[in-house]
Structure formats: structure tokens, C-alpha cells
Amino acid sequence: EVQLLESGGGLVQPGGSLRLSCAASGFTFNNYAMTWVRQAPGKGLEWVSAISASGASTYYADSVRGRFTIARDNSKNTVYLQMVSLRAEDTAVYYCAKDQWLLEYWGQGTLVTVSS
Amino acid sequence: QTVVTQEPSLTVSPGGTVTLTCASSTGAVTSDNYPSWFQQKPGQAPRALIYSITNKHSWTPARFSGSLLGGKTALTLSGVQPEDEADYYCLVYYGGAQLSWVFGGGTKLTVL
């Protein structure tokens, strides 16, 4: 059974930093790209970032490029999202999803709140 | 800034048929955009329904189908069930110098 478990969310002040983690199980992690998607309260889905299976290629939405960094550790079956210079508009539930094309499995998400 | 547009809301009667569409501000949606569709119910994570225009996941009910329609990508529900009431999102891929994916704004489907 595929499982994706996000962690690392919480309350952070504007300008602060946070690192999200997504622990994967139930599939051969190093064969698949991974994706982060977020959803602001009461709003729609926003694609944030993706990383290739090897980690060699990374992709970002314009809204986070230069502030967020996606990375993975295939020995730990985990993908990360390092977020710096956080803004109020980054407040959202952050989901990780398996693959960059199918997004066939999703975690339950972790809430990030940027507020003073 | 690329924008993907969906109908904000649609209403359908149980047993009826409804088509949701997804348009791109850059022009016609094609197979090169690998469009996909997701369903989200309140308080739940999204669930994948359709990928690469027409392909279903193993769990996707047969009443859901995907297509290209007049330059847009479309999701058709035939024989709608009450449990299909949800938000639906399309996702479109954009290649080029910086690869990216963009979600549509979502369609809230009411079964009434």
C-alpha cells in the first residue's frame, strides 16, 4: 500500500523558514519523481514544485522560485521542501504526491501558517 | 503568467450527465499538455481520476471519462451519483525553458 506522510508544518513568522518532509512507503521510491502541491484555506490547488527520480532535475512555480528548494534523499525514501523568506500568502496545506505526471497518490497534507 | 480556467460551479441532477472543461490562456490544450483531473471532497486530500487526457486509474469509476473538446480538455460524468458532489481540478503541463504544471481554479459540482 502506497503511503505518503507529510510533516514539518506549523506556525512561522513572515520572513521565517520551514522545512517540510514527506516520507514515502509502499513503492520503489527512487523510481519516481515527486511533487509538492499546496492549498490555501478555502482556495484551490496550486502546483508548487517537482523533483525527478534521481533528484537531478527540479521544477518550481514562479510564485516560489528562488525561495523554496525541493530535494530528496532516496536512502530515506523522503522528499523535502525547504521554504525560506515565507510570506502570508504561503499559508496553506502542503501535500506531497507520487510522480510528476500522474500524481496518483497523495498524502494528507501538513498545514503551514505564516503569521506574526 | 499562465492561467488555466474552469467553470467555477456546475449543478447536475442525479443520473444526469455533465461536462467540466479546462482552458489554457496560452491556446488550445493538446496531448502535449498531458492534462489530468482530480476530485476533492471536503476535508480530504485530492484523488486522481484521469491522466493524459483519457486514461483512468484503476479506482476511477467507469462513469468518468476524459477528452479534448474544442481546444479544451474535458471531464464528463455520465449517470452522476450523489457521491460525485465535490470539487474537480484539472492540471496542465507546460514545457519549454522552465517546465511547470498549472492547476485550474476548480469546479464545484453540486448534485441536486
Coordinates of all heavy atoms in Angstrom, one line a residue, chain A residues 37 39 43-47 50 59-62 65 95 100-109, chain B residues 1 34 36 38 40 43-46 48 51 57 59 89 91 93 98-105:
Chain A
V37 N 2.3 20.1 -3.8 CA 1.1 20.9 -4.2 C 0.6 21.6 -2.9 O 0.6 20.9 -1.8 CB 0.0 20.0 -4.8 CG1 -1.3 20.9 -5.1 CG2 0.5 19.4 -6.1
Q39 N -2.5 24.2 -0.9 CA -3.9 24.7 -1.0 C -4.1 25.7 0.1 O -4.2 25.3 1.3 CB -4.9 23.5 -0.9 CG -6.3 23.9 -1.1 CD -7.3 22.7 -1.3 OE1 -7.1 21.7 -0.6 NE2 -8.2 22.8 -2.1
K43 N -9.3 27.8 -0.7 CA -8.9 28.1 -2.1 C -8.6 26.8 -2.9 O -8.7 25.7 -2.4 CB -7.6 29.0 -2.1 CG -7.8 30.4 -1.4 CD -8.9 31.2 -2.1 CE -9.0 32.6 -1.4 NZ -10.1 33.4 -2.0
G44 N -8.2 27.0 -4.2 CA -7.9 25.9 -5.0 C -6.5 25.3 -4.8 O -5.7 25.8 -4.0
L45 N -6.2 24.3 -5.6 CA -4.9 23.7 -5.6 C -3.9 24.5 -6.4 O -4.2 25.1 -7.4 CB -5.0 22.3 -6.2 CG -5.9 21.3 -5.5 CD1 -6.0 20.0 -6.3 CD2 -5.5 21.0 -4.1
E46 N -2.7 24.5 -5.9 CA -1.6 25.2 -6.6 C -0.4 24.3 -6.7 O 0.1 23.8 -5.6 CB -1.2 26.5 -5.9 CG -0.1 27.3 -6.6 CD 0.4 28.5 -5.9 OE1 0.0 28.7 -4.7 OE2 1.2 29.3 -6.5
W47 N 0.0 24.0 -7.9 CA 1.3 23.2 -8.1 C 2.5 24.0 -7.6 O 2.6 25.2 -8.0 CB 1.4 22.8 -9.5 CG 2.6 22.1 -9.9 CD1 2.8 20.7 -9.8 CD2 3.9 22.6 -10.3 NE1 4.1 20.4 -10.1 CE2 4.8 21.5 -10.4 CE3 4.4 23.9 -10.5 CZ2 6.1 21.6 -10.8 CZ3 5.7 24.0 -10.9 CH2 6.6 22.9 -11.1
A50 N 8.4 20.1 -8.3 CA 8.6 18.7 -8.5 C 10.1 18.4 -8.6 O 10.9 19.3 -8.9 CB 7.9 18.3 -9.8
Y59 N 11.9 21.5 -10.5 CA 11.0 22.4 -11.2 C 10.2 23.2 -10.1 O 9.8 22.7 -9.1 CB 10.0 21.7 -12.1 CG 10.7 20.6 -12.9 CD1 10.7 19.3 -12.5 CD2 11.4 20.9 -14.1 CE1 11.3 18.3 -13.3 CE2 12.1 20.0 -14.8 CZ 12.0 18.7 -14.4 OH 12.6 17.7 -15.2
Y60 N 9.9 24.5 -10.4 CA 9.2 25.3 -9.4 C 8.2 26.2 -10.1 O 8.4 26.7 -11.3 CB 10.3 26.2 -8.7 CG 11.3 25.5 -8.0 CD1 12.5 25.2 -8.6 CD2 11.1 25.1 -6.7 CE1 13.5 24.5 -7.9 CE2 12.1 24.4 -6.0 CZ 13.3 24.1 -6.6 OH 14.2 23.4 -5.9
A61 N 7.1 26.5 -9.3 CA 6.2 27.5 -9.8 C 6.9 28.9 -9.6 O 7.7 29.1 -8.8 CB 4.9 27.5 -8.9
D62 N 6.4 29.9 -10.4 CA 7.0 31.2 -10.4 C 6.9 31.8 -9.0 O 7.7 32.6 -8.5 CB 6.4 32.1 -11.4 CG 6.8 31.8 -12.8 OD1 7.8 31.0 -13.0 OD2 6.1 32.2 -13.8
R65 N 9.8 30.2 -6.8 CA 11.1 30.1 -7.3 C 12.1 31.1 -6.7 O 11.7 32.2 -6.5 CB 11.2 30.2 -8.9 CG 12.5 29.9 -9.5 CD 12.5 30.0 -11.0 NE 11.7 28.9 -11.6 CZ 10.5 29.1 -12.2 NH1 10.0 30.3 -12.3 NH2 9.9 28.1 -12.7
Y95 N 0.7 19.4 0.3 CA 0.6 18.0 0.0 C 1.8 17.5 -0.8 O 2.3 18.3 -1.7 CB -0.6 17.7 -0.8 CG -2.0 18.0 -0.2 CD1 -2.7 19.2 -0.5 CD2 -2.6 17.1 0.6 CE1 -3.9 19.5 0.0 CE2 -3.9 17.4 1.2 CZ -4.5 18.5 0.9 OH -5.7 18.8 1.4
Q100 N 5.3 13.0 -11.2 CA 5.1 14.4 -11.6 C 4.1 14.5 -12.7 O 3.6 15.5 -13.0 CB 6.4 15.0 -12.2 CG 7.0 14.3 -13.4 CD 8.4 14.7 -13.7 OE1 9.3 14.5 -12.9 NE2 8.6 15.3 -14.9
W101 N 3.7 13.3 -13.3 CA 2.7 13.3 -14.3 C 1.3 12.8 -13.8 O 0.3 13.4 -14.1 CB 3.2 12.4 -15.5 CG 4.4 12.8 -16.1 CD1 5.6 12.3 -15.9 CD2 4.6 14.0 -17.0 NE1 6.6 13.0 -16.7 CE2 6.0 14.0 -17.3 CE3 3.8 14.9 -17.5 CZ2 6.5 15.0 -18.1 CZ3 4.3 15.9 -18.3 CH2 5.7 15.9 -18.6
L102 N 1.3 11.7 -13.1 CA 0.1 11.1 -12.7 C -0.5 11.7 -11.4 O -1.7 11.7 -11.1 CB 0.2 9.6 -12.6 CG 0.0 8.8 -13.9 CD1 1.0 9.2 -14.9 CD2 0.1 7.3 -13.6
L103 N 0.4 12.1 -10.5 CA 0.1 12.5 -9.1 C -1.0 11.5 -8.6 O -2.0 11.9 -8.1 CB -0.5 13.9 -9.1 CG 0.6 15.0 -9.1 CD1 1.3 15.1 -10.4 CD2 -0.1 16.3 -8.7
E104 N -0.7 10.2 -8.7 CA -1.7 9.2 -8.4 C -2.0 8.9 -7.0 O -3.0 8.4 -6.6 CB -1.3 7.9 -9.1 CG 0.1 7.4 -8.7 CD 0.7 6.3 -9.6 OE1 -0.1 5.4 -10.0 OE2 1.9 6.4 -10.0
Y105 N -1.0 9.3 -6.1 CA -1.2 9.1 -4.7 C -0.8 10.4 -4.0 O 0.2 11.0 -4.4 CB -0.4 7.9 -4.1 CG -0.9 6.6 -4.6 CD1 -0.2 6.0 -5.7 CD2 -2.0 5.9 -4.1 CE1 -0.6 4.7 -6.2 CE2 -2.4 4.7 -4.6 CZ -1.7 4.1 -5.6 OH -2.1 2.9 -6.1
W106 N -1.6 10.8 -3.0 CA -1.3 12.0 -2.2 C -1.3 11.7 -0.7 O -1.9 10.8 -0.2 CB -2.5 13.0 -2.4 CG -2.7 13.5 -3.8 CD1 -2.9 12.7 -5.0 CD2 -2.6 14.8 -4.3 NE1 -3.0 13.5 -6.1 CE2 -2.9 14.8 -5.7 CE3 -2.5 16.0 -3.6 CZ2 -2.9 16.0 -6.4 CZ3 -2.5 17.2 -4.4 CH2 -2.7 17.2 -5.7
G107 N -0.5 12.5 0.0 CA -0.5 12.4 1.4 C -1.7 13.2 1.9 O -2.5 13.8 1.2
Q108 N -1.9 13.3 3.3 CA -3.0 14.0 3.9 C -2.7 15.5 4.1 O -3.5 16.3 4.5 CB -3.4 13.3 5.2 CG -4.1 12.0 5.0 CD -5.4 12.3 4.1 OE1 -6.2 13.1 4.4 NE2 -5.5 11.5 3.0
G109 N -1.4 15.8 3.9 CA -1.0 17.3 4.0 C -0.5 17.7 5.3 O -0.8 17.1 6.4
Chain B
Q1 N 2.1 35.1 -17.0 CA 1.6 34.1 -16.1 C 0.5 33.3 -16.7 O -0.6 33.8 -17.2 CB 1.0 34.9 -14.9 CG 0.4 34.1 -13.8 CD 1.4 33.5 -12.8 OE1 2.6 33.8 -13.0 NE2 1.0 32.7 -11.8
Y34 N -0.5 17.0 -21.5 CA -0.8 15.8 -20.6 C -1.8 16.2 -19.5 O -1.5 16.1 -18.3 CB 0.5 15.4 -19.9 CG 1.6 14.9 -20.9 CD1 2.6 15.8 -21.4 CD2 1.6 13.6 -21.4 CE1 3.5 15.4 -22.3 CE2 2.5 13.2 -22.3 CZ 3.5 14.1 -22.7 OH 4.4 13.6 -23.6
S36 N -4.6 16.3 -16.8 CA -5.2 15.3 -15.8 C -6.3 16.0 -15.0 O -6.4 17.2 -15.0 CB -4.1 14.7 -14.9 OG -3.3 15.8 -14.4
F38 N -8.6 15.7 -11.1 CA -8.6 15.3 -9.7 C -9.9 15.7 -9.1 O -10.5 16.7 -9.4 CB -7.4 16.0 -9.0 CG -6.1 15.7 -9.6 CD1 -5.6 16.4 -10.6 CD2 -5.3 14.6 -9.1 CE1 -4.4 16.1 -11.2 CE2 -4.1 14.3 -9.7 CZ -3.6 15.1 -10.7
Q40 N -11.8 16.4 -5.3 CA -11.5 16.6 -3.9 C -12.8 16.9 -3.1 O -13.6 17.7 -3.5 CB -10.6 17.8 -3.7 CG -10.2 18.0 -2.2 CD -9.2 19.2 -2.1 OE1 -9.4 20.3 -2.7 NE2 -8.3 19.1 -1.1
G43 N -12.5 18.3 3.3 CA -11.6 17.8 4.4 C -10.7 16.6 4.0 O -10.1 16.0 4.8
Q44 N -10.7 16.3 2.7 CA -9.9 15.2 2.2 C -8.8 15.7 1.2 O -8.9 16.8 0.6 CB -10.8 14.2 1.4 CG -11.8 13.5 2.3 CD -12.6 12.5 1.5 OE1 -12.2 12.1 0.4 NE2 -13.7 12.1 2.1
A45 N -7.8 14.9 1.0 CA -6.8 15.2 0.0 C -7.4 14.9 -1.3 O -8.4 14.1 -1.5 CB -5.6 14.2 0.2
P46 N -6.9 15.5 -2.4 CA -7.3 15.2 -3.7 C -7.1 13.8 -4.1 O -6.2 13.1 -3.6 CB -6.5 16.2 -4.6 CG -6.0 17.3 -3.7 CD -5.8 16.6 -2.3
A48 N -6.7 11.3 -7.6 CA -6.5 11.4 -9.1 C -7.6 10.6 -9.8 O -8.0 9.5 -9.3 CB -5.1 10.8 -9.4
Y51 N -5.6 10.8 -16.3 CA -4.3 11.3 -16.7 C -4.2 11.2 -18.2 O -4.8 10.4 -18.9 CB -3.2 10.6 -16.0 CG -3.0 9.2 -16.2 CD1 -2.1 8.7 -17.2 CD2 -3.8 8.2 -15.5 CE1 -2.0 7.4 -17.4 CE2 -3.6 6.9 -15.8 CZ -2.8 6.4 -16.7 OH -2.6 5.1 -17.0
H57 N -7.4 5.8 -13.8 CA -6.7 5.0 -12.8 C -7.5 3.8 -12.5 O -8.7 3.7 -12.8 CB -6.4 5.8 -11.5 CG -5.5 6.9 -11.8 ND1 -4.1 6.8 -11.8 CD2 -5.7 8.2 -12.0 CE1 -3.5 8.0 -12.0 NE2 -4.5 8.9 -12.2
W59 N -8.9 2.8 -9.9 CA -10.0 3.1 -9.0 C -11.1 4.1 -9.6 O -12.1 4.4 -8.9 CB -9.5 3.7 -7.7 CG -8.6 4.9 -7.9 CD1 -8.9 6.2 -8.2 CD2 -7.1 4.9 -7.9 NE1 -7.8 7.0 -8.3 CE2 -6.7 6.2 -8.2 CE3 -6.2 3.9 -7.7 CZ2 -5.3 6.5 -8.2 CZ3 -4.9 4.2 -7.8 CH2 -4.4 5.5 -8.0
Y89 N -10.5 19.5 -10.2 CA -9.4 20.3 -10.7 C -8.8 19.6 -11.9 O -8.5 18.4 -11.9 CB -8.4 20.5 -9.6 CG -8.9 21.2 -8.4 CD1 -9.4 20.6 -7.3 CD2 -8.8 22.6 -8.3 CE1 -9.9 21.3 -6.2 CE2 -9.2 23.3 -7.2 CZ -9.8 22.6 -6.1 OH -10.2 23.3 -5.0
L91 N -5.2 19.7 -14.2 CA -3.8 20.0 -14.1 C -3.2 19.9 -15.5 O -3.4 18.9 -16.2 CB -3.1 19.0 -13.2 CG -1.6 19.2 -13.0 CD1 -1.3 20.6 -12.4 CD2 -1.0 18.1 -12.2
Y93 N 0.3 20.6 -18.1 CA 1.7 20.7 -18.1 C 2.1 21.7 -19.2 O 1.5 21.7 -20.3 CB 2.3 19.3 -18.5 CG 3.7 19.3 -19.0 CD1 4.8 19.6 -18.1 CD2 4.0 19.1 -20.3 CE1 6.1 19.6 -18.6 CE2 5.3 19.1 -20.8 CZ 6.4 19.4 -19.9 OH 7.6 19.4 -20.3
Q98 N 11.4 26.4 -18.8 CA 11.2 26.1 -17.4 C 9.9 25.3 -17.4 O 8.8 25.8 -17.5 CB 11.1 27.3 -16.6 CG 12.4 28.1 -16.5 CD 12.5 29.1 -15.4 OE1 11.6 29.1 -14.5 NE2 13.5 29.9 -15.4
L99 N 10.1 24.0 -17.2 CA 8.9 23.1 -17.1 C 8.0 23.5 -15.9 O 8.6 23.8 -14.8 CB 9.3 21.7 -17.0 CG 10.3 21.1 -18.0 CD1 10.5 19.6 -17.8 CD2 9.9 21.5 -19.4
S100 N 6.7 23.4 -16.1 CA 5.9 23.7 -15.0 C 4.5 23.1 -15.2 O 4.2 22.6 -16.3 CB 5.7 25.2 -14.7 OG 5.0 25.8 -15.8
W101 N 3.8 22.9 -14.2 CA 2.4 22.4 -14.2 C 1.5 23.5 -13.6 O 1.9 24.2 -12.6 CB 2.3 21.1 -13.4 CG 2.9 19.9 -14.1 CD1 2.2 18.9 -14.7 CD2 4.3 19.6 -14.2 NE1 3.1 18.0 -15.2 CE2 4.4 18.4 -14.9 CE3 5.5 20.2 -13.7 CZ2 5.6 17.8 -15.1 CZ3 6.7 19.6 -14.0 CH2 6.8 18.4 -14.7
V102 N 0.3 23.6 -14.1 CA -0.7 24.6 -13.5 C -2.0 24.0 -13.3 O -2.6 23.3 -14.2 CB -0.8 25.8 -14.5 CG1 -1.8 26.9 -13.9 CG2 0.6 26.5 -14.7
F103 N -2.6 24.2 -12.1 CA -3.9 23.7 -11.8 C -4.9 24.7 -12.3 O -4.7 26.0 -12.2 CB -4.1 23.5 -10.3 CG -3.6 22.2 -9.8 CD1 -2.4 22.1 -9.2 CD2 -4.4 21.0 -9.9 CE1 -1.9 20.9 -8.7 CE2 -3.9 19.8 -9.4 CZ -2.7 19.8 -8.8
G104 N -6.1 24.2 -12.8 CA -7.2 25.1 -13.0 C -7.8 25.6 -11.6 O -7.4 25.0 -10.6
G105 N -8.6 26.6 -11.7 CA -9.2 27.1 -10.5 C -10.2 26.2 -9.7 O -10.5 26.5 -8.6

